[in-house]
PDB file of all heavy atoms in Angstrom:
ATOM      1  N   ALA A 175      22.710  23.691 -20.156  1.00  0.00           N
ATOM      2  CA  ALA A 175      21.800  22.649 -20.521  1.00  0.00           C
ATOM      3  C   ALA A 175      22.575  21.400 -20.721  1.00  0.00           C
ATOM      4  O   ALA A 175      23.341  21.239 -21.595  1.00  0.00           O
ATOM      5  CB  ALA A 175      21.191  23.076 -21.928  1.00  0.00           C
ATOM      6  N   TRP A 176      22.555  20.560 -19.658  1.00  0.00           N
ATOM      7  CA  TRP A 176      23.412  19.378 -19.729  1.00  0.00           C
ATOM      8  C   TRP A 176      22.803  18.300 -20.471  1.00  0.00           C
ATOM      9  O   TRP A 176      21.664  17.733 -20.156  1.00  0.00           O
ATOM     10  CB  TRP A 176      23.683  18.950 -18.217  1.00  0.00           C
ATOM     11  CG  TRP A 176      24.518  17.803 -18.048  1.00  0.00           C
ATOM     12  CD1 TRP A 176      25.721  17.564 -18.709  1.00  0.00           C
ATOM     13  CD2 TRP A 176      24.446  16.685 -17.167  1.00  0.00           C
ATOM     14  NE1 TRP A 176      26.301  16.444 -18.355  1.00  0.00           N
ATOM     15  CE2 TRP A 176      25.531  15.813 -17.317  1.00  0.00           C
ATOM     16  CE3 TRP A 176      23.538  16.359 -16.216  1.00  0.00           C
ATOM     17  CZ2 TRP A 176      25.722  14.735 -16.596  1.00  0.00           C
ATOM     18  CZ3 TRP A 176      23.747  15.160 -15.446  1.00  0.00           C
ATOM     19  CH2 TRP A 176      24.801  14.419 -15.658  1.00  0.00           C
ATOM     20  N   GLY A 177      23.587  17.826 -21.511  1.00  0.00           N
ATOM     21  CA  GLY A 177      23.333  16.672 -22.275  1.00  0.00           C
ATOM     22  C   GLY A 177      21.878  16.173 -22.391  1.00  0.00           C
ATOM     23  O   GLY A 177      20.981  16.804 -22.944  1.00  0.00           O
ATOM     24  N   PHE A 178      21.765  14.993 -21.889  1.00  0.00           N
ATOM     25  CA  PHE A 178      20.453  14.205 -22.135  1.00  0.00           C
ATOM     26  C   PHE A 178      19.394  14.537 -21.160  1.00  0.00           C
ATOM     27  O   PHE A 178      18.322  14.007 -21.185  1.00  0.00           O
ATOM     28  CB  PHE A 178      20.756  12.785 -22.093  1.00  0.00           C
ATOM     29  CG  PHE A 178      21.803  12.389 -21.111  1.00  0.00           C
ATOM     30  CD1 PHE A 178      21.509  12.370 -19.805  1.00  0.00           C
ATOM     31  CD2 PHE A 178      23.063  12.092 -21.517  1.00  0.00           C
ATOM     32  CE1 PHE A 178      22.458  11.888 -18.887  1.00  0.00           C
ATOM     33  CE2 PHE A 178      24.041  11.747 -20.616  1.00  0.00           C
ATOM     34  CZ  PHE A 178      23.747  11.623 -19.297  1.00  0.00           C
ATOM     35  N   LEU A 179      19.571  15.474 -20.209  1.00  0.00           N
ATOM     36  CA  LEU A 179      18.456  15.901 -19.322  1.00  0.00           C
ATOM     37  C   LEU A 179      17.359  16.639 -20.149  1.00  0.00           C
ATOM     38  O   LEU A 179      17.705  17.512 -20.950  1.00  0.00           O
ATOM     39  CB  LEU A 179      19.013  16.747 -18.109  1.00  0.00           C
ATOM     40  CG  LEU A 179      19.859  16.037 -17.206  1.00  0.00           C
ATOM     41  CD1 LEU A 179      20.327  16.986 -16.037  1.00  0.00           C
ATOM     42  CD2 LEU A 179      19.286  14.798 -16.597  1.00  0.00           C
ATOM     43  N   ARG A 184      14.695  22.307 -16.627  1.00  0.00           N
ATOM     44  CA  ARG A 184      15.509  23.433 -16.283  1.00  0.00           C
ATOM     45  C   ARG A 184      14.788  24.629 -16.946  1.00  0.00           C
ATOM     46  O   ARG A 184      14.170  24.528 -18.034  1.00  0.00           O
ATOM     47  CB  ARG A 184      16.939  23.165 -16.904  1.00  0.00           C
ATOM     48  CG  ARG A 184      16.889  22.953 -18.330  1.00  0.00           C
ATOM     49  CD  ARG A 184      18.193  22.234 -18.779  1.00  0.00           C
ATOM     50  NE  ARG A 184      18.035  21.664 -20.032  1.00  0.00           N
ATOM     51  CZ  ARG A 184      18.674  20.564 -20.490  1.00  0.00           C
ATOM     52  NH1 ARG A 184      19.486  19.889 -19.627  1.00  0.00           N
ATOM     53  NH2 ARG A 184      18.373  19.993 -21.629  1.00  0.00           N
ATOM     54  N   TRP A 211      21.137  25.519 -10.153  1.00  0.00           N
ATOM     55  CA  TRP A 211      22.104  24.401 -10.518  1.00  0.00           C
ATOM     56  C   TRP A 211      23.337  25.057 -11.036  1.00  0.00           C
ATOM     57  O   TRP A 211      23.516  26.262 -10.851  1.00  0.00           O
ATOM     58  CB  TRP A 211      21.432  23.514 -11.669  1.00  0.00           C
ATOM     59  CG  TRP A 211      22.037  22.268 -11.846  1.00  0.00           C
ATOM     60  CD1 TRP A 211      22.266  21.228 -10.780  1.00  0.00           C
ATOM     61  CD2 TRP A 211      22.514  21.605 -13.021  1.00  0.00           C
ATOM     62  NE1 TRP A 211      22.851  20.215 -11.400  1.00  0.00           N
ATOM     63  CE2 TRP A 211      23.084  20.400 -12.689  1.00  0.00           C
ATOM     64  CE3 TRP A 211      22.668  22.087 -14.325  1.00  0.00           C
ATOM     65  CZ2 TRP A 211      23.685  19.507 -13.615  1.00  0.00           C
ATOM     66  CZ3 TRP A 211      23.276  21.232 -15.326  1.00  0.00           C
ATOM     67  CH2 TRP A 211      23.644  19.981 -14.890  1.00  0.00           C
TER      68      TRP A 211
END
Side-chain angles (χ1 to χ4, degrees):
W176 184 40
F178 36 76
L179 293 182
R184 56 199 165 213
W211 199 56

